[in-house]
Amino acid sequence: QVLLSESGGGSVQPGGSLKLSCVASGLIVSEYSMAWFRQGPGSEGQGIAFLESIGTAVYIDDVRGRFVIFKDNAKNTLYLQMYNLKPEDTAKYYCVAKTFGSSWALAYRGQGTQVTVSS
C-alpha cells in the first residue's frame, strides 16, 4: 500500500518561509517522478514543482526562484522549501508520485498540508 504523508504547512506572513515534507511508504521516491501540487480556494489543483527520478527539477513561473523541490533518498522523503511566500501561495499542498511515462492524473497523492500566507 502506497502512503504519502505531508507535513510542514502552517500560517506565515508574506515574505516568510516554510519547508514541506512528504514521507513516502510503499514506493521508493528515487524510482518515481515526484511533484508538489496545490489547490487554492475556488481553484483547481495545479502542479507547481516537479522532480524526475534522475533529479531534473521543473517549476511553474509563479514559483520559480522562490521554491525548491528536492528529495532525500535515504529518508525516502520529498521536500518543498518555500521562500518569499506571497498571499497567492495560500493553498493546500499535495505530494504526488507517478511512474515514468504515466499520467499525473493517475498518480498517488497524499492528504495534503495547508499553507496560509497572510498579514
Side-chain angles (χ1 to χ4, degrees):
Q1 179 183 0
V2 173
L3 185 63
L4 301 173
S5 300
E6 303 98 332
S7 63
S11 295
V12 64
Q13 293 187 340
S17 301
L18 282 174
K19 181 181 177 182
L20 306 183
S21 301
C22 169
V23 178
S25 60
L27 63 81
I28 299 174
V29 165
S30 62
E31 298 178 355
Y32 278 70
S33 299
M34 305 295 296
W36 287 95
F37 280 59
R38 70 183 180 187
Q39 185 167 11
S43 65
E44 299 207 357
Q46 178 187 32
I48 61 168
F50 304 83
L51 186 63
E52 293 296 336
S53 58
I54 60 173
T56 304
V58 178
Y59 304 91
I60 63 168
D61 289 346
D62 284 352
V63 307
R64 187 179 300 114
R66 299 189 298 121
F67 291 9
V68 181
I69 184 172
F70 62 101
K71 60 187 176 181
D72 184 332
N73 292 335
K75 296 182 178 180
N76 211 36
T77 300
L78 179 73
Y79 300 95
L80 185 69
Q81 177 68 59
M82 306 185 291
Y83 301 101
N84 190 21
L85 282 160
K86 304 176 181 181
E88 51 265 41
D89 295 318
T90 295
K92 196 163 189 178
Y93 285 69
Y94 298 89
C95 173
V96 183
K98 74 173 184 77
T99 55
F100 180 78
S102 64
S103 169
W104 287 110
L106 301 177
Y108 298 107
R109 192 181 82 164
Q111 293 299 306
T113 185
Q114 179 68 36
V115 172
T116 302
V117 185
S118 70
S119 54

